[in-house]
Amino acid sequence: MNDRISALIKVKKIRYYNNSNNFGIICADIVETTDEIQKDKYGQMIVKGIMPELKSNVKYTLNAKLVEDSKWGYQYEVISMYTNLCVDVSDLKGQREFLHVLFTDKQIDAMYAALENPYMALYNKEASDLVKVKGVGLKTANKWLERFHENIDKSRVFVELKEYNLTANMVEKLYEHYKSADVIIKNVKQNPYTLIDIHGIGWKKCDELALKGGMGIYSKERVTAFVKRYLYEMAEKGCTYVYANEQLMDAIVTMLGEDIPDEPILEAMKDLDKFLWWNEDRSKVAFKKNIELEEKIAQKLIQLKKAENTFNFDGWEEIISEVEKEQGWEYTDQQYECIRTALIENVFIVTGGGGTGKTSFVRGVLRVLWRKRFAQCALAGRAAARLAEVTGEEGFTIHRLLGFPLGDKEHGGFAFYEGNYLPYDIIICDEISMVDSKLFYRLIDAIKPGSKLIMLGDTGQLECIGSGNIAHDLIESQYIPSINLTKIHRQAEASAIITDSLKIRKNIQVIDKDFVGHLTKGDLQDLEYNCYSDANNTYFNLCRDFAEWINKVDSILDLQVIVPIRERQSGIHQLNAAFQELYNPRDDEEEIIVRYSPSYSANLRVGDKVMYTANTYKALLYDNQWEYDQKEYEEISNITGVFNGSIGIIEAINFERNEIVVNFQYIGKILILSKQLSSVELSYAITVHKSQGSQYPYVLVGLDFGSYSMLTKELIYTAITRASKHCKLECQTNALRYAVGQNAISSKQTYLVEAIEKVEKPVF
């Protein structure tokens, strides 16, 4: 029995329909289908999901997937549902734009070179015309026809909304969200500001569509959409709440104009009231869901902290003495206190710079509690692997530890959660300063009460990008035990990477004023400075170093160039183009061109080192899918998660399908679809922010006043400590000294510290 069906249906009965989100449940009558239809326990065909506004006596084309509800029996979940197609044969621009949804630029150029109107040839199923296109046989022509008619619903969006000049990328996002041309058309025509809730559609585009459609500049809809977008963006920057007057009102006036009347603002805030949280004096405002998330984190942490400690650690001092003898050195008094606290407490956070022994004390704890099962995890694969080197056991990314994305939809794809806990007694989470609040909640939700949670981090780095400020807030809370390690191990003192980075952490200069020249530091000779006065040297020196170092490393994955910025001469865009020609120059093989913005594109080749810059929770593990039709991918593929910052090597390119295969470290071979290509970037050079949470054997750092506004001690500290074996800085002397003297000012505003206190000391 096929679980996917395509049918022409009519609405027999509406069980439920919500006009605000277009979700409906209907009983349907079949008009036409070639598929076998399964009925529910009452003998009805039930359809549920996103669907257009429902009307009687209207025929709908339905593509749906069969699911079985434990209570109601068989139902069909909407993939797409739409009314009869309306094609405007005169809209040549819209037709070509629609073809970009389905075909590569190269294929489209070939079509238009051979045919007067490829769109109509496809629409009229004229395979005999399509074979006139260079390189297209009958088999390919039929595949094109099949692809076109499966996606024809999208063309209605281009036709009926042509005055809005929607791009193919925009329509793809809309269709992914709404699943129906009818719903897209209705929302864009009635109130384009509702599109602000769709991930990937920004305020500028949403506002442009709405104003073009006739919405007023002082309408409450405009104010509502702007407030939502502002709160979304601030939350992504780590601000759980914002100040109502100093931040939100200032932003409204700045963006919407000083002359905006009070009435639309008041009406907008009234409409949003059910989604908003205010503090007692109404000086702070936030989305309720963000405040509730931090409240749930607080409740979970205190639950774990107060659970009965059933661990037996009698005689632990003698065991630690044995460990010290075996390793040939003694723990510092700070590490000793860390071991004691980790045994006594259920929740514990330890911070410190490199060489202070954060991971070393963990070895001692695990020796004492050797009968207990433990798991170690981190956000990035490299960090998880690094911890594994210390404990001798496998490390996990947090997502992999939690079984993501193999869990059910109800739990967001996570396989472990409250009630289905992780099968471990001790959870060790490294690089806790990199974990955002959403993922942290998923982690602690999956830890059974009575277990231990040991967190390790380095607050000297740049703040994490994303929601919350977990490490900072746990340290600030007086109710969560924490220790900051400051003493360097004697063994670590030989490394200038460690000693100089800790000086930088304290704003201590590491290079003399006006120094120009080359300097190698440390007993291990593991940190080099090449200093100069002219910022133009950064780009050329990095190119010279890269060309030299690629011949010294075993793998290009062991060498990472790190700079603060993306644009300008010493930014990653220009550096990656140069490094690509040095490491993987173009040969007779074709390359795929990816356009990331109107002003920036890159050529990707087999063998290139690349980074994934988005979170894709259902990526396809590559298993010879190119031997099958694209529509079969979902059925034949195993899925996994690929996350922002994952690095790998391009192993294959399929030019006809506009797809590539990337072998990502700690993940495996992933099939990158055409629509995902804009999330794959060259990564011979990456920004300091993107390097957080990872470590590489060899690191080249470029620094000059071209990134003046970003220069802080935290940025330099983060860059240097990414190197595990050797680091070289190509730096403008005054820029380095300026950065070491600057402290980053935290811009995050979170509620977690207050939430923890309210759980510990509730007010009745």
Side-chain angles (χ1 to χ4, degrees), residues 355 488-500 521-527 725:
I488 307 175
H489 255 286
R490 187 173 64 255
Q491 298 91 325
E493 291 176 348
S495 168
I497 291 175
I498 291 175
T499 56
D500 269 27
K521 302 178 74 173
D523 292 345
L524 297 177
Q525 298 284 281
D526 60 347
L527 180 60
K725 290 185 177 179

Side-chain angles (χ1 to χ4, degrees), residues 283-299:
S283 62
K284 300 174 183 177
V285 61
F287 279 128
K288 278 181 184 176
K289 63 180 182 180
N290 295 339
I291 294 293
E292 289 168 354
L293 174 62
E294 296 201 337
E295 288 176 336
K296 289 194 295 184
I297 289 172
Q299 290 162 2

Side-chain angles (χ1 to χ4, degrees), residues 92-110:
L92 300 180
K93 182 181 178 182
Q95 292 171 4
R96 183 161 186 154
E97 189 64 47
F98 170 64
L99 295 182
H100 276 281
V101 177
L102 306 176
F103 303 101
T104 67
D105 291 346
K106 187 177 178 181
Q107 290 170 335
I108 292 169
D109 289 342

Side-chain angles (χ1 to χ4, degrees), residues 300-365:
K300 285 284 181 185
L301 282 172
I302 299 306
Q303 180 189 37
L304 290 172
K305 176 176 179 275
K306 290 188 173 181
E308 182 183 359
N309 186 345
T310 60
F311 290 78
N312 180 5
F313 46 90
D314 293 341
W316 68 272
E317 294 96 338
E318 289 77 10
I319 297 173
I320 293 302
S321 294
E322 288 298 318
V323 172
E324 290 176 325
K325 290 176 184 177
E326 291 174 12
Q327 64 193 18
W329 49 269
E330 294 182 354
Y331 288 113
T332 66
D333 54 350
Q334 290 180 333
Q335 287 179 303
Y336 203 80
E337 181 61 19
C338 282
I339 294 171
R340 188 188 71 83
T341 305
L343 295 172
I344 294 171
E345 300 288 350
N346 289 338
V347 177
F348 181 38
I349 181 169
V350 176
T351 61
T356 56
K358 294 189 299 293
T359 53
S360 299
F361 94 86
V362 171
R363 188 189 296 117
V365 173

Side-chain angles (χ1 to χ4, degrees), residues 476-661:
E476 284 294 306
S477 173
Q478 60 179 304
Y479 302 105
I480 303 298
S482 65
I483 291 177
N484 180 39
L485 297 174
T486 57
K487 295 183 178 179
I488 307 175
H489 255 286
R490 187 173 64 255
Q491 298 91 325
E493 291 176 348
S495 168
I497 291 175
I498 291 175
T499 56
D500 269 27
S501 66
L502 292 178
K503 287 179 182 177
I504 291 168
R505 208 170 188 245
K506 299 174 183 177
N507 298 108
I508 299 172
Q509 295 293 343
V510 290
I511 292 295
D512 292 337
K513 184 179 179 181
D514 299 325
F515 172 76
V516 172
H518 181 268
L519 179 65
T520 302
K521 302 178 74 173
D523 292 345
L524 297 177
Q525 298 284 281
D526 60 347
L527 180 60
E528 297 179 65
Y529 296 92
N530 190 44
C531 301
Y532 39 82
S533 58
D534 185 354
N536 290 319
N537 288 331
T538 305
Y539 172 84
F540 297 105
N541 289 356
L542 286 174
C543 288
R544 179 199 63 206
D545 293 341
F546 183 83
E548 179 184 339
W549 283 30
I550 56 176
N551 296 314
K552 295 181 178 180
V553 296
D554 295 329
S555 166
I556 190 63
L557 296 173
D558 292 339
L559 170 60
Q560 189 59 62
V561 179
I562 299 175
V563 294
I565 56 176
R566 300 178 69 85
E567 286 82 23
R568 301 184 184 174
Q569 186 183 43
S570 57
I572 64 170
H573 290 168
Q574 290 203 42
L575 287 171
N576 274 319
F579 295 163
Q580 184 186 43
E581 294 307 318
L582 289 168
Y583 175 75
N584 190 27
R586 183 175 183 177
D587 52 23
D588 294 335
E589 296 292 325
E590 290 188 82
E591 54 191 5
I592 197 165
I593 301 173
V594 181
R595 182 162 293 282
Y596 302 96
S597 70
S599 60
Y600 176 61
S601 63
N603 303 332
L604 302 183
R605 305 164 187 164
V606 172
D608 273 333
K609 178 182 177 183
V610 293
M611 172 182 282
Y612 203 69
T613 60
N615 291 322
T616 297
Y617 303 114
K618 293 187 177 180
L620 306 182
L621 284 161
Y622 183 69
D623 187 18
N624 299 314
Q625 282 94 333
W626 288 340
E627 296 178 6
Y628 300 85
D629 194 278
Q630 287 168 301
K631 69 177 182 179
E632 298 178 85
Y633 282 179
E634 190 173 335
E635 296 175 15
I636 65 173
S637 300
N638 292 317
I639 62 172
T640 189
V642 179
F643 305 102
N644 194 343
S646 299
I647 286 181
I649 303 294
I650 297 177
E651 293 200 347
I653 298 176
N654 187 313
F655 295 98
E656 182 181 343
R657 300 188 180 192
N658 206 41
E659 297 171 351
I660 64 176
V661 174

